[in-house]
Amino acid sequence: MKIRRLPVGAVALALFAVALSGLLWWAGTPARAAFAPTVALIPVSGIVSGQPESVRFSGQARVSSELVLDTSTTRPPHPASVILIIDLSGVSGTGSSSGARYTAGGDGTPVFRQLASADTVEITFPFTRGTTMSVSSAGMSSVRSGVASFALSFDTNTGAITKGTATVAAANFPN
């Protein structure tokens, strides 16, 4: 049996390339400090107009806010940011003509924002008739969309939400 050996130069070059790419990856990743998330319950209300009926939504969204600081030595450093996780599982709707129950989706929608003392965040969410978010025998045509607009105030030292409200409206998608 004949064993083929690689030249020492080729092995050294491959190891050098691997080490260099690892070093470049490590140097290019900004260091960050993340803090424990805080949770706020935000009141939600509003009407999504449309067919087959308008739906009045109300309830509380659970919004988690986590402060993220850039601790790297890059100049200038990246500004402070927050990672928001918006959970609409506590929001439900009632059909205006049928009185039927509607369920909002969008459990755990992540949003990354630069930290400011006040911010408005909009998310599009699905909703469907019934008590669970599912696609019925009617298929995807039974799923509708709405937009939740959150007006939030933040503690700029901790990233915690200090005040907030949210309104719901119809999603306006371009044709």
Side-chain angles (χ1 to χ4, degrees):
M1 173 193 272
K2 188 175 186 179
I3 298 176
R4 186 171 175 209
R5 297 184 186 250
L6 293 174
V8 174
V11 172
L13 182 60
L15 288 174
F16 176 73
V18 168
L20 182 61
S21 64
L23 182 61
L24 289 174
W25 173 82
W26 178 77
T29 304
R32 71 176 191 126
F35 298 86
T38 59
V39 176
L41 296 176
I42 307 297
V44 177
S45 65
I47 298 173
V48 176
S49 301
Q51 296 299 322
E53 66 182 333
S54 294
V55 179
R56 176 178 299 279
F57 283 95
S58 63
Q60 289 187 326
R62 181 180 165 91
V63 182
S64 169
S65 175
E66 181 179 348
L67 177 65
V68 180
L69 298 175
D70 179 3
T71 61
S72 68
T73 58
T74 60
R75 299 286 180 241
H78 299 287
S81 301
V82 287
I83 299 171
L84 303 173
I85 305 294
I86 301 172
D87 179 355
L88 296 177
S89 62
V91 177
S92 61
T94 304
S96 62
S97 57
S98 70
R101 197 83 169 137
Y102 284 79
T103 300
D107 303 351
T109 303
V111 179
F112 186 79
R113 305 290 284 197
Q114 185 172 326
L115 180 60
S117 60
D119 197 0
T120 300
V121 177
E122 286 189 348
I123 63 165
T124 301
F125 68 94
F127 68 94
T128 188
R129 189 175 182 161
T131 57
T132 60
M133 190 64 204
S134 65
V135 178
S136 68
S137 60
M140 289 301 291
S141 63
S142 67
V143 177
R144 295 172 55 193
S145 295
V147 173
S149 180
F150 290 83
L152 303 172
S153 296
F154 294 91
D155 178 327
T156 56
N157 294 315
T158 65
I161 297 169
T162 57
K163 183 171 56 168
T165 60
T167 56
V168 172
N172 293 321
F173 296 113
N175 293 333

